[in-house]
Amino acid sequence: MKNLELLTLAALFAAKVTATDNVLTPQGLAAAIKTEELERNLWNLDRIARENGGNRAFGTPGFEASSDYVLERAKTRFGPEYDTTVQEFNHLYNEVREISVTGPDGEPVAAVTLIYNPGTDDGPIKAPLIDTPVDDARGSGCFEDQWEGIDATGKLALVKRGTCAIVDKLKLAKAHGALGVILYHNLAGTPGSATLGADSYGQIVPVATIPLAVGQAWKASLAAGEEVVVELFIDAIFEDRKSWNIIAETKEGDPNNVIMLGAHLDSVQAGPGVNDDGSGTSLLMEIMTELRYYKGYANKVRFAWWAAEESGLVGSLYYTSTLTPEEADKIRFYFNYDMVASPTPDYAIYIGDNAVDEIGAAKLLQWLQASGKPAHYAGFGSSSDYVGFLELGIPSSGIFTGASASTDPCYHIACDGLSNANLDALTANAKAAANAVAEFALSLEGVPTRLRDSSVNPRSRNAVRTQFLKWRRAAETAATQKSCSHTGDNMV
Protein backbone atom coordinates (compact mmCIF):
# COMPACT_ATOMS: atom_id res chain seq x y z
CA MET A 1 0.00 0.00 0.00
CA LYS A 2 3.02 2.30 0.30
CA ASN A 3 2.90 3.04 -3.42
CA LEU A 4 -0.73 4.11 -3.09
CA GLU A 5 0.21 6.65 -0.46
CA LEU A 6 2.95 8.14 -2.60
CA LEU A 7 0.86 8.63 -5.71
CA THR A 8 -0.24 12.19 -6.27
CA LEU A 9 -3.83 13.19 -6.83
CA ALA A 10 -2.94 14.22 -10.34
CA ALA A 11 -1.73 10.71 -11.10
CA LEU A 12 -4.78 9.12 -9.49
CA PHE A 13 -7.18 10.78 -11.88
CA ALA A 14 -5.21 11.40 -15.04
CA ALA A 15 -7.26 12.25 -18.07
CA LYS A 16 -8.66 9.26 -19.91
CA VAL A 17 -7.83 8.64 -23.50
CA THR A 18 -11.48 8.01 -24.18
CA ALA A 19 -13.73 10.95 -24.95
CA THR A 20 -16.21 12.24 -22.40
CA ASP A 21 -19.09 11.61 -24.78
CA ASN A 22 -18.72 7.82 -24.66
CA VAL A 23 -21.96 5.95 -25.07
CA LEU A 24 -22.87 4.20 -21.84
CA THR A 25 -23.09 0.41 -21.91
CA PRO A 26 -23.47 -1.85 -18.88
CA GLN A 27 -20.50 -3.93 -19.96
CA GLY A 28 -18.36 -0.83 -20.47
CA LEU A 29 -19.09 0.65 -17.05
CA ALA A 30 -18.51 -2.68 -15.31
CA ALA A 31 -15.20 -3.13 -17.14
CA ALA A 32 -14.07 0.32 -16.02
CA ILE A 33 -14.24 -0.61 -12.33
CA LYS A 34 -10.71 -1.07 -10.98
CA THR A 35 -9.64 -3.06 -7.95
CA GLU A 36 -6.76 -0.70 -7.25
CA GLU A 37 -9.10 2.30 -7.05
CA LEU A 38 -11.50 0.45 -4.76
CA GLU A 39 -8.52 -0.45 -2.58
CA ARG A 40 -7.26 3.13 -2.64
CA ASN A 41 -10.55 4.35 -1.21
CA LEU A 42 -10.40 1.74 1.55
CA TRP A 43 -6.81 2.70 2.33
CA ASN A 44 -7.83 6.35 2.72
CA LEU A 45 -10.82 5.54 4.92
CA ASP A 46 -8.61 3.35 7.11
CA ARG A 47 -6.04 6.17 7.28
CA ILE A 48 -8.74 8.64 8.26
CA ALA A 49 -9.80 6.37 11.12
CA ARG A 50 -6.22 5.87 12.30
CA GLU A 51 -5.67 9.63 12.34
CA ASN A 52 -8.91 10.31 14.23
CA GLY A 53 -9.08 8.10 17.27
CA GLY A 54 -9.52 4.78 15.47
CA ASN A 55 -13.00 5.29 14.01
CA ARG A 56 -15.20 7.27 11.62
CA ALA A 57 -18.34 7.31 13.76
CA PHE A 58 -21.17 9.84 13.57
CA GLY A 59 -20.42 12.98 15.54
CA THR A 60 -16.64 12.48 15.48
CA PRO A 61 -13.73 14.08 13.58
CA GLY A 62 -13.33 10.78 11.72
CA PHE A 63 -16.78 11.11 10.18
CA GLU A 64 -16.14 14.72 9.20
CA ALA A 65 -12.85 13.74 7.53
CA SER A 66 -14.61 10.88 5.71
CA SER A 67 -17.19 13.39 4.44
CA ASP A 68 -14.42 15.68 3.23
CA TYR A 69 -12.90 12.76 1.34
CA VAL A 70 -16.16 12.07 -0.51
CA LEU A 71 -16.96 15.75 -1.10
CA GLU A 72 -13.50 16.53 -2.48
CA ARG A 73 -14.29 14.17 -5.30
CA ALA A 74 -18.07 14.49 -5.73
CA LYS A 75 -18.37 18.25 -5.33
CA THR A 76 -14.97 19.73 -6.05
CA ARG A 77 -13.48 17.64 -8.84
CA PHE A 78 -16.65 16.18 -10.31
CA GLY A 79 -18.72 19.35 -10.14
CA PRO A 80 -19.18 19.51 -13.93
CA GLU A 81 -20.82 16.07 -13.96
CA TYR A 82 -22.69 15.94 -10.63
CA ASP A 83 -24.92 18.12 -8.49
CA THR A 84 -23.89 17.45 -4.90
CA THR A 85 -25.71 18.53 -1.77
CA VAL A 86 -25.18 18.07 1.96
CA GLN A 87 -28.34 17.33 3.92
CA GLU A 88 -27.83 18.29 7.56
CA PHE A 89 -29.71 17.11 10.64
CA ASN A 90 -29.14 16.90 14.39
CA HIS A 91 -29.15 13.70 16.39
CA LEU A 92 -28.39 12.49 19.89
CA TYR A 93 -24.72 11.54 20.19
CA ASN A 94 -23.45 9.08 22.77
CA GLU A 95 -19.87 8.26 23.58
CA VAL A 96 -18.64 5.87 26.24
CA ARG A 97 -15.33 7.34 27.33
CA GLU A 98 -14.52 4.48 29.66
CA ILE A 99 -16.02 1.09 30.46
CA SER A 100 -14.77 -1.56 32.86
CA VAL A 101 -15.95 -4.75 34.45
CA THR A 102 -14.12 -6.17 37.45
CA GLY A 103 -14.69 -9.79 38.38
CA PRO A 104 -15.20 -11.31 41.85
CA ASP A 105 -11.48 -11.85 42.38
CA GLY A 106 -10.64 -8.28 41.43
CA GLU A 107 -9.50 -9.23 37.95
CA PRO A 108 -10.39 -6.96 34.99
CA VAL A 109 -12.68 -8.53 32.41
CA ALA A 110 -12.72 -7.55 28.72
CA ALA A 111 -15.84 -5.44 28.20
CA VAL A 112 -17.44 -4.00 25.07
CA THR A 113 -19.87 -1.11 25.17
CA LEU A 114 -22.97 -0.51 23.08
CA ILE A 115 -24.13 2.67 21.37
CA TYR A 116 -26.52 4.73 23.55
CA ASN A 117 -25.33 2.91 26.64
CA PRO A 118 -26.26 4.90 29.77
CA GLY A 119 -23.47 5.53 32.22
CA THR A 120 -23.22 4.46 35.83
CA ASP A 121 -24.24 7.93 36.98
CA ASP A 122 -22.60 7.99 40.40
CA GLY A 123 -19.48 6.02 39.60
CA PRO A 124 -18.87 2.26 39.75
CA ILE A 125 -21.68 -0.11 40.67
CA LYS A 126 -20.44 -3.01 42.80
CA ALA A 127 -23.17 -5.58 43.35
CA PRO A 128 -23.87 -9.31 43.35
CA LEU A 129 -24.96 -10.96 40.12
CA ILE A 130 -28.38 -12.51 39.72
CA ASP A 131 -28.79 -15.14 37.02
CA THR A 132 -31.49 -15.25 34.36
CA PRO A 133 -32.65 -18.29 32.37
CA VAL A 134 -31.11 -19.12 28.99
CA ASP A 135 -33.57 -19.45 26.12
CA ASP A 136 -31.71 -19.56 22.82
CA ALA A 137 -34.88 -20.20 20.84
CA ARG A 138 -36.84 -17.10 21.89
CA GLY A 139 -33.91 -15.13 23.25
CA SER A 140 -32.77 -14.94 26.85
CA GLY A 141 -34.33 -12.26 29.05
CA CYS A 142 -36.49 -11.02 26.19
CA PHE A 143 -39.97 -11.64 27.61
CA GLU A 144 -41.72 -10.97 30.89
CA ASP A 145 -42.35 -14.66 31.63
CA GLN A 146 -38.59 -15.28 31.52
CA TRP A 147 -38.19 -12.92 34.50
CA GLU A 148 -40.91 -14.54 36.58
CA GLY A 149 -39.77 -14.94 40.19
CA ILE A 150 -36.60 -12.89 39.65
CA ASP A 151 -36.10 -9.95 42.03
CA ALA A 152 -33.05 -8.16 40.69
CA THR A 153 -33.35 -5.20 43.08
CA GLY A 154 -29.90 -3.91 43.97
CA LYS A 155 -28.16 -6.45 41.75
CA LEU A 156 -26.52 -6.78 38.34
CA ALA A 157 -28.44 -9.16 36.07
CA LEU A 158 -26.43 -11.77 34.16
CA VAL A 159 -28.14 -12.17 30.77
CA LYS A 160 -27.13 -14.03 27.62
CA ARG A 161 -26.99 -12.07 24.37
CA GLY A 162 -28.78 -13.09 21.19
CA THR A 163 -32.04 -13.50 19.25
CA CYS A 164 -34.06 -10.50 20.43
CA ALA A 165 -33.19 -6.82 20.66
CA ILE A 166 -30.76 -6.08 23.49
CA VAL A 167 -32.82 -3.06 24.47
CA ASP A 168 -35.74 -5.38 25.33
CA LYS A 169 -33.53 -7.28 27.77
CA LEU A 170 -32.39 -4.03 29.39
CA LYS A 171 -35.90 -2.63 29.78
CA LEU A 172 -37.04 -5.81 31.53
CA ALA A 173 -33.95 -5.81 33.74
CA LYS A 174 -34.77 -2.27 34.83
CA ALA A 175 -38.42 -3.17 35.44
CA HIS A 176 -37.27 -5.95 37.79
CA GLY A 177 -35.01 -3.68 39.80
CA ALA A 178 -31.57 -4.40 38.31
CA LEU A 179 -28.90 -1.75 38.66
CA GLY A 180 -27.33 -2.88 35.40
CA VAL A 181 -26.79 -5.85 33.10
CA ILE A 182 -23.76 -7.99 32.46
CA LEU A 183 -24.50 -9.28 28.96
CA TYR A 184 -22.42 -12.29 28.05
CA HIS A 185 -21.90 -12.97 24.37
CA ASN A 186 -23.75 -15.80 22.64
CA LEU A 187 -20.77 -16.72 20.46
CA ALA A 188 -17.10 -17.45 20.99
CA GLY A 189 -14.78 -14.59 20.12
CA THR A 190 -14.82 -10.88 20.75
CA PRO A 191 -18.30 -9.38 21.16
CA GLY A 192 -19.24 -6.74 18.62
CA SER A 193 -20.92 -3.43 19.26
CA ALA A 194 -24.57 -2.66 18.52
CA THR A 195 -26.94 0.24 18.95
CA LEU A 196 -29.56 0.48 21.67
CA GLY A 197 -31.27 3.34 19.85
CA ALA A 198 -31.47 6.96 20.86
CA ASP A 199 -35.10 6.57 21.89
CA SER A 200 -34.05 4.10 24.61
CA TYR A 201 -32.61 6.96 26.62
CA GLY A 202 -33.97 6.92 30.17
CA GLN A 203 -35.66 3.53 29.72
CA ILE A 204 -32.74 1.13 30.23
CA VAL A 205 -29.98 0.26 32.68
CA PRO A 206 -26.22 0.38 32.00
CA VAL A 207 -24.78 -2.66 30.26
CA ALA A 208 -21.41 -4.21 29.45
CA THR A 209 -20.91 -7.08 27.02
CA ILE A 210 -18.37 -9.70 28.11
CA PRO A 211 -17.00 -12.89 26.49
CA LEU A 212 -19.08 -16.04 26.43
CA ALA A 213 -16.60 -18.09 28.48
CA VAL A 214 -16.57 -15.59 31.35
CA GLY A 215 -20.34 -15.40 31.46
CA GLN A 216 -20.69 -19.17 31.47
CA ALA A 217 -18.16 -19.48 34.31
CA TRP A 218 -20.05 -16.94 36.42
CA LYS A 219 -23.33 -18.67 35.62
CA ALA A 220 -21.88 -21.98 36.82
CA SER A 221 -20.73 -20.36 40.08
CA LEU A 222 -24.20 -18.94 40.68
CA ALA A 223 -25.76 -22.35 39.96
CA ALA A 224 -23.43 -23.84 42.60
CA GLY A 225 -24.83 -21.41 45.16
CA GLU A 226 -21.85 -19.07 45.24
CA GLU A 227 -22.15 -15.30 45.49
CA VAL A 228 -20.51 -13.55 42.54
CA VAL A 229 -19.88 -9.84 43.15
CA VAL A 230 -18.97 -7.78 40.09
CA GLU A 231 -18.15 -4.12 39.57
CA LEU A 232 -19.45 -2.22 36.53
CA PHE A 233 -18.25 1.25 35.56
CA ILE A 234 -19.35 3.28 32.52
CA ASP A 235 -18.42 6.90 31.89
CA ALA A 236 -20.73 8.13 29.11
CA ILE A 237 -21.72 11.42 27.55
CA PHE A 238 -24.92 12.32 25.70
CA GLU A 239 -25.39 15.45 23.60
CA ASP A 240 -27.04 16.66 20.42
CA ARG A 241 -24.63 16.83 17.47
CA LYS A 242 -24.91 17.82 13.84
CA SER A 243 -24.47 15.28 11.08
CA TRP A 244 -25.24 15.08 7.38
CA ASN A 245 -25.95 12.91 4.36
CA ILE A 246 -24.07 13.50 1.10
CA ILE A 247 -26.17 13.27 -2.07
CA ALA A 248 -24.56 13.41 -5.53
CA GLU A 249 -26.74 13.22 -8.64
CA THR A 250 -25.79 13.10 -12.30
CA LYS A 251 -26.58 16.21 -14.31
CA GLU A 252 -27.38 13.79 -17.13
CA GLY A 253 -30.74 12.01 -17.24
CA ASP A 254 -34.43 12.55 -16.62
CA PRO A 255 -35.05 14.06 -13.13
CA ASN A 256 -38.40 12.28 -12.97
CA ASN A 257 -36.73 8.87 -13.23
CA VAL A 258 -33.94 8.33 -10.72
CA ILE A 259 -31.94 5.22 -9.86
CA MET A 260 -30.45 5.54 -6.40
CA LEU A 261 -27.46 3.83 -4.78
CA GLY A 262 -26.72 4.14 -1.06
CA ALA A 263 -24.04 3.18 1.45
CA HIS A 264 -23.40 4.44 4.96
CA LEU A 265 -20.34 6.58 5.55
CA ASP A 266 -20.04 6.16 9.31
CA SER A 267 -18.40 3.37 11.29
CA VAL A 268 -19.04 2.19 14.81
CA GLN A 269 -16.95 3.84 17.53
CA ALA A 270 -15.17 0.54 18.15
CA GLY A 271 -13.24 0.48 14.86
CA PRO A 272 -12.44 1.97 11.45
CA GLY A 273 -15.28 0.24 9.61
CA VAL A 274 -13.40 -0.68 6.43
CA ASN A 275 -15.79 -3.47 5.50
CA ASP A 276 -18.69 -1.92 7.43
CA ASP A 277 -19.21 0.19 5.46
CA GLY A 278 -16.09 1.55 3.86
CA SER A 279 -16.63 -1.16 1.26
CA GLY A 280 -20.01 0.25 0.21
CA THR A 281 -18.64 3.79 0.31
CA SER A 282 -15.77 2.77 -1.98
CA LEU A 283 -18.11 0.94 -4.35
CA LEU A 284 -20.24 4.07 -4.79
CA MET A 285 -17.19 6.30 -5.23
CA GLU A 286 -15.68 4.12 -7.94
CA ILE A 287 -18.95 3.87 -9.89
CA MET A 288 -19.42 7.65 -9.56
CA THR A 289 -15.85 8.20 -10.78
CA GLU A 290 -16.30 6.08 -13.91
CA LEU A 291 -19.88 7.05 -14.75
CA ARG A 292 -18.86 10.69 -15.22
CA TYR A 293 -17.17 9.80 -18.52
CA TYR A 294 -20.48 8.85 -20.15
CA LYS A 295 -23.32 10.88 -21.60
CA GLY A 296 -26.59 10.25 -23.38
CA TYR A 297 -28.31 7.95 -20.90
CA ALA A 298 -31.99 8.42 -20.23
CA ASN A 299 -32.34 8.36 -16.41
CA LYS A 300 -30.59 10.12 -13.56
CA VAL A 301 -28.33 8.29 -11.13
CA ARG A 302 -28.21 9.45 -7.52
CA PHE A 303 -25.52 8.41 -5.01
CA ALA A 304 -26.11 8.74 -1.26
CA TRP A 305 -23.61 8.40 1.57
CA TRP A 306 -25.70 8.05 4.72
CA ALA A 307 -24.77 9.36 8.14
CA ALA A 308 -25.37 7.73 11.53
CA GLU A 309 -26.47 4.35 10.18
CA GLU A 310 -24.78 2.67 13.11
CA SER A 311 -26.84 4.81 15.49
CA GLY A 312 -30.10 3.48 14.06
CA LEU A 313 -30.32 4.18 10.29
CA VAL A 314 -30.66 7.84 11.21
CA GLY A 315 -29.44 9.53 8.04
CA SER A 316 -31.38 7.41 5.58
CA LEU A 317 -34.56 7.58 7.67
CA TYR A 318 -34.20 11.34 7.85
CA TYR A 319 -33.84 11.49 4.08
CA THR A 320 -36.86 9.29 3.38
CA SER A 321 -38.93 11.11 6.01
CA THR A 322 -38.40 14.42 4.20
CA LEU A 323 -39.38 13.18 0.73
CA THR A 324 -42.69 14.42 -0.60
CA PRO A 325 -44.88 11.78 -2.28
CA GLU A 326 -43.93 13.29 -5.64
CA GLU A 327 -40.20 13.09 -4.84
CA ALA A 328 -40.55 9.49 -3.68
CA ASP A 329 -42.35 8.63 -6.94
CA LYS A 330 -39.30 9.79 -8.90
CA ILE A 331 -37.02 7.23 -7.22
CA ARG A 332 -37.66 4.25 -9.44
CA PHE A 333 -35.24 1.84 -7.76
CA TYR A 334 -32.95 1.87 -4.72
CA PHE A 335 -29.81 -0.28 -4.33
CA ASN A 336 -28.22 -0.62 -0.87
CA TYR A 337 -24.56 -1.60 -0.49
CA ASP A 338 -23.62 -2.29 3.12
CA MET A 339 -20.73 -4.67 3.87
CA VAL A 340 -19.81 -5.89 0.41
CA ALA A 341 -16.23 -7.06 1.11
CA SER A 342 -16.55 -9.52 3.99
CA PRO A 343 -13.45 -11.72 4.36
CA THR A 344 -15.38 -14.94 3.70
CA PRO A 345 -18.22 -13.54 1.63
CA ASP A 346 -21.76 -14.84 1.41
CA TYR A 347 -23.14 -13.18 -1.70
CA ALA A 348 -26.67 -12.37 -0.52
CA ILE A 349 -28.87 -10.38 -2.92
CA TYR A 350 -31.76 -8.62 -1.22
CA ILE A 351 -35.27 -9.25 -2.45
CA GLY A 352 -38.50 -8.40 -0.68
CA ASP A 353 -42.28 -8.62 -0.90
CA ASN A 354 -42.51 -6.01 -3.63
CA ALA A 355 -42.57 -7.98 -6.89
CA VAL A 356 -40.58 -5.22 -8.61
CA ASP A 357 -37.60 -5.87 -6.32
CA GLU A 358 -36.69 -8.90 -8.41
CA ILE A 359 -36.13 -6.81 -11.53
CA GLY A 360 -33.13 -5.11 -9.95
CA ALA A 361 -32.11 -8.06 -7.80
CA ALA A 362 -31.92 -10.34 -10.84
CA LYS A 363 -29.40 -8.04 -12.49
CA LEU A 364 -27.06 -8.36 -9.49
CA LEU A 365 -27.64 -12.09 -9.10
CA GLN A 366 -27.07 -12.95 -12.75
CA TRP A 367 -23.88 -10.89 -13.02
CA LEU A 368 -22.35 -12.43 -9.91
CA GLN A 369 -23.33 -15.97 -10.85
CA ALA A 370 -21.90 -15.47 -14.34
CA SER A 371 -18.69 -14.32 -12.62
CA GLY A 372 -18.49 -17.57 -10.70
CA LYS A 373 -19.78 -16.24 -7.38
CA PRO A 374 -22.36 -18.32 -5.47
CA ALA A 375 -24.87 -15.48 -5.23
CA HIS A 376 -28.35 -16.17 -3.88
CA TYR A 377 -31.48 -14.30 -2.94
CA ALA A 378 -32.09 -13.30 0.69
CA GLY A 379 -34.84 -11.38 2.41
CA PHE A 380 -34.49 -7.87 3.74
CA GLY A 381 -34.02 -7.44 7.48
CA SER A 382 -34.41 -4.25 9.47
CA SER A 383 -30.83 -3.21 10.10
CA SER A 384 -29.63 -1.25 7.08
CA ASP A 385 -30.51 1.83 5.07
CA TYR A 386 -33.00 0.14 2.76
CA VAL A 387 -35.63 0.33 5.54
CA GLY A 388 -36.92 3.81 4.77
CA PHE A 389 -37.19 3.03 1.06
CA LEU A 390 -39.08 -0.20 1.68
CA GLU A 391 -41.49 1.68 3.91
CA LEU A 392 -42.20 4.07 1.07
CA GLY A 393 -42.85 1.19 -1.33
CA ILE A 394 -39.82 2.01 -3.47
CA PRO A 395 -38.50 -1.09 -5.29
CA SER A 396 -35.18 -2.06 -3.74
CA SER A 397 -32.35 -4.56 -3.70
CA GLY A 398 -28.66 -4.63 -2.82
CA ILE A 399 -25.75 -6.83 -1.84
CA PHE A 400 -24.66 -7.98 1.62
CA THR A 401 -21.72 -10.33 2.14
CA GLY A 402 -22.29 -11.13 5.79
CA ALA A 403 -21.64 -9.99 9.36
CA SER A 404 -21.52 -13.35 11.14
CA ALA A 405 -18.54 -14.85 12.93
CA SER A 406 -17.90 -17.02 9.89
CA THR A 407 -18.19 -14.29 7.24
CA ASP A 408 -16.67 -11.32 9.12
CA PRO A 409 -15.10 -12.05 12.53
CA CYS A 410 -14.09 -8.36 12.77
CA TYR A 411 -17.67 -7.08 12.51
CA HIS A 412 -18.11 -4.00 14.72
CA ILE A 413 -14.70 -4.31 16.39
CA ALA A 414 -11.29 -2.70 16.05
CA CYS A 415 -9.85 -5.19 13.56
CA ASP A 416 -12.23 -4.07 10.78
CA GLY A 417 -9.31 -2.37 9.07
CA LEU A 418 -7.74 -2.58 5.65
CA SER A 419 -6.66 -6.19 6.03
CA ASN A 420 -10.26 -7.20 6.76
CA ALA A 421 -11.55 -6.38 3.27
CA ASN A 422 -11.84 -9.06 0.58
CA LEU A 423 -10.85 -7.15 -2.56
CA ASP A 424 -11.97 -9.90 -4.91
CA ALA A 425 -15.47 -9.80 -3.46
CA LEU A 426 -15.52 -6.00 -3.48
CA THR A 427 -14.48 -5.89 -7.13
CA ALA A 428 -17.06 -8.46 -8.19
CA ASN A 429 -19.81 -6.67 -6.29
CA ALA A 430 -18.81 -3.26 -7.65
CA LYS A 431 -18.89 -4.58 -11.21
CA ALA A 432 -22.30 -6.16 -10.60
CA ALA A 433 -23.56 -2.88 -9.17
CA ALA A 434 -22.14 -0.91 -12.09
CA ASN A 435 -23.78 -3.21 -14.61
CA ALA A 436 -27.16 -2.95 -12.84
CA VAL A 437 -27.16 0.83 -12.52
CA ALA A 438 -26.07 1.27 -16.13
CA GLU A 439 -28.91 -0.94 -17.36
CA PHE A 440 -31.43 1.11 -15.41
CA ALA A 441 -29.82 4.40 -16.45
CA LEU A 442 -30.40 3.38 -20.05
CA SER A 443 -33.93 2.04 -19.62
CA LEU A 444 -36.57 1.53 -16.95
CA GLU A 445 -38.84 -0.40 -19.24
CA GLY A 446 -40.94 -2.84 -17.23
CA VAL A 447 -40.23 -1.07 -13.92
CA PRO A 448 -43.44 0.42 -12.50
CA THR A 449 -43.44 3.32 -10.05
CA ARG A 450 -43.45 2.63 -6.33
CA LEU A 451 -46.28 0.90 -4.54
CA ARG A 452 -48.33 2.81 -2.02
CA ASP A 453 -50.39 -0.19 -0.93
CA SER A 454 -50.40 -0.56 2.85
CA SER A 455 -49.82 -4.32 2.70
CA VAL A 456 -46.43 -3.69 1.09
CA ASN A 457 -45.79 -0.46 2.93
CA PRO A 458 -47.27 -1.01 6.40
CA ARG A 459 -45.47 1.75 8.29
CA SER A 460 -45.06 4.43 5.63
CA ARG A 461 -43.61 7.90 5.81
CA ASN A 462 -45.63 8.83 8.90
CA ALA A 463 -43.97 6.07 10.90
CA VAL A 464 -40.53 7.31 9.89
CA ARG A 465 -41.46 10.81 11.06
CA THR A 466 -42.79 9.39 14.33
CA GLN A 467 -39.42 7.73 14.91
CA PHE A 468 -37.69 11.05 14.44
CA LEU A 469 -39.98 12.70 16.98
CA LYS A 470 -39.03 10.01 19.50
CA TRP A 471 -35.34 10.64 18.84
CA ARG A 472 -35.87 14.38 19.25
CA ARG A 473 -37.55 13.89 22.63
CA ALA A 474 -34.67 11.68 23.75
CA ALA A 475 -32.16 14.32 22.71
CA GLU A 476 -34.02 17.01 24.60
CA THR A 477 -34.15 14.84 27.72
CA ALA A 478 -30.43 14.15 27.50
CA ALA A 479 -29.63 17.83 27.10
CA THR A 480 -31.47 18.74 30.29
CA GLN A 481 -30.70 15.73 32.47
CA LYS A 482 -27.30 14.36 31.57
CA SER A 483 -24.11 15.33 29.84
CA CYS A 484 -21.61 13.21 31.76
CA SER A 485 -22.28 10.04 33.73
CA HIS A 486 -19.23 10.08 35.99
CA THR A 487 -20.03 12.22 39.00
CA GLY A 488 -19.18 10.18 42.06
CA ASP A 489 -18.93 6.73 43.63
CA ASN A 490 -21.69 4.25 44.38
CA MET A 491 -20.89 0.99 46.15
CA VAL A 492 -23.75 -1.47 46.61
Side-chain angles (χ1 to χ4, degrees):
M1 294 304 300
K2 185 176 181 181
N3 290 336
L4 296 179
E5 185 175 9
L6 296 175
L7 289 174
T8 64
L9 287 176
L12 300 185
F13 296 96
K16 289 197 169 185
V17 296
T18 53
T20 58
D21 60 349
N22 278 349
V23 175
L24 178 64
T25 65
Q27 298 85 351
L29 185 60
I33 301 300
K34 301 178 184 64
T35 301
E36 56 268 30
E37 297 302 329
L38 292 164
E39 184 181 18
R40 193 187 315 282
N41 292 326
L42 297 184
W43 183 88
N44 277 291
L45 294 170
D46 187 59
R47 171 188 57 79
I48 287 168
R50 286 186 278 108
E51 292 175 354
N52 290 278
N55 68 68
R56 303 180 298 102
F58 143 70
T60 70
F63 179 78
E64 185 170 356
S66 299
S67 299
D68 290 342
Y69 180 69
V70 173
L71 287 168
E72 189 279 329
R73 193 176 303 185
K75 193 168 189 177
T76 303
R77 279 191 279 155
F78 298 173
E81 294 85 25
Y82 294 94
D83 293 317
T84 301
T85 58
V86 173
Q87 183 188 41
E88 294 185 347
F89 58 88
N90 291 322
H91 192 63
L92 182 62
Y93 172 81
N94 162 247
E95 179 182 341
V96 172
R97 298 185 294 196
E98 184 179 352
I99 183 170
S100 65
V101 173
T102 305
D105 297 326
E107 75 280 6
V109 175
V112 173
T113 191
L114 303 170
I115 304 171
Y116 297 112
N117 192 1
T120 53
D121 290 332
D122 297 317
I125 298 172
K126 190 171 185 179
L129 290 179
I130 186 167
D131 198 13
T132 59
V134 170
D135 185 344
D136 290 331
R138 292 197 299 158
S140 305
C142 300
F143 302 96
E144 179 61 43
D145 65 280
Q146 296 169 328
W147 290 81
E148 186 176 348
I150 296 175
D151 181 7
T153 303
K155 298 179 179 179
L156 292 167
L158 182 65
V159 182
K160 188 176 183 182
R161 186 174 181 174
T163 308
C164 77
I166 296 172
V167 70
D168 293 340
K169 303 171 190 274
L170 303 184
K171 287 179 179 179
L172 284 165
K174 182 174 183 176
H176 286 264
L179 299 173
V181 166
I182 302 298
L183 187 73
Y184 62 100
H185 203 34
N186 56 322
L187 301 169
T190 304
S193 182
T195 184
L196 302 172
D199 53 331
S200 70
Y201 183 83
Q203 303 178 45
I204 59 176
V205 291
V207 57
T209 304
I210 64 169
L212 173 63
V214 178
Q216 288 176 328
W218 289 352
K219 186 176 182 68
S221 296
L222 291 170
E226 301 175 22
E227 183 180 56
V228 180
V229 178
V230 171
E231 182 177 282
L232 171 65
F233 173 67
I234 301 171
D235 180 15
I237 60 171
F238 289 80
E239 61 188 33
D240 219 19
R241 291 193 180 181
K242 182 181 292 185
S243 196
W244 49 87
N245 299 318
I246 298 173
I247 313 294
E249 182 177 85
T250 58
K251 294 182 186 293
E252 195 81 8
D254 181 358
N256 294 313
N257 292 290
V258 178
I259 306 96
M260 195 162 183
L261 292 73
H264 70 88
L265 187 55
D266 62 313
S267 73
V268 291
Q269 293 179 12
V274 169
N275 184 33
D276 184 16
D277 183 29
S279 61
T281 289
S282 179
L283 180 152
L284 263 63
M285 291 185 73
E286 175 64 358
I287 294 176
M288 176 184 66
T289 298
E290 296 304 329
L291 183 60
R292 69 193 176 110
Y293 293 105
Y294 297 94
K295 291 187 180 297
Y297 44 91
N299 307 306
K300 278 192 180 297
V301 178
R302 183 179 300 162
F303 300 89
W305 289 268
W306 307 120
E309 188 268 2
E310 299 290 5
S311 297
L313 318 183
V314 182
S316 58
L317 288 179
Y318 180 75
Y319 176 83
T320 50
S321 74
T322 60
L323 292 173
T324 66
E326 293 74 22
E327 288 169 335
D329 287 342
K330 295 175 183 179
I331 302 174
R332 302 295 303 280
F333 208 97
Y334 174 72
F335 289 102
N336 195 71
Y337 297 108
D338 185 1
M339 300 184 68
V340 292
S342 299
T344 307
D346 173 32
Y347 294 89
I349 310 301
Y350 288 124
I351 188 168
D353 296 332
N354 187 338
V356 188
D357 292 349
E358 188 173 2
I359 299 175
K363 297 180 187 300
L364 299 173
L365 183 80
Q366 291 165 8
W367 179 276
L368 286 170
Q369 288 182 341
S371 302
K373 306 302 182 186
H376 61 93
Y377 286 138
F380 288 103
S382 60
S383 59
S384 195
D385 292 306
Y386 47 71
V387 168
F389 293 89
L390 296 179
E391 289 172 346
L392 292 178
I394 295 170
S396 302
S397 185
I399 302 174
F400 172 60
T401 55
S404 67
S406 60
T407 55
D408 186 358
C410 289
Y411 173 63
H412 279 187
I413 56 178
C415 60
D416 187 12
L418 187 61
S419 62
N420 192 50
N422 184 319
L423 293 177
D424 177 70
L426 178 56
T427 303
N429 289 328
K431 288 179 178 291
N435 176 78
V437 74
E439 287 193 15
F440 275 157
L442 291 167
S443 174
L444 285 164
E445 184 178 356
V447 181
T449 55
R450 71 185 179 108
L451 295 175
R452 300 190 187 188
D453 182 84
S454 60
S455 64
V456 175
N457 181 16
R459 291 172 58 194
S460 78
R461 186 161 159 258
N462 290 333
V464 178
R465 285 180 169 171
T466 299
Q467 182 65 57
F468 256 84
L469 289 175
K470 290 165 68 178
W471 284 333
R472 174 54 47 202
R473 287 193 292 270
E476 290 169 353
T477 301
T480 57
Q481 292 187 2
K482 182 176 188 176
S483 60
C484 179
S485 63
H486 185 202
T487 57
D489 184 59
N490 179 33
M491 303 294 286
V492 180

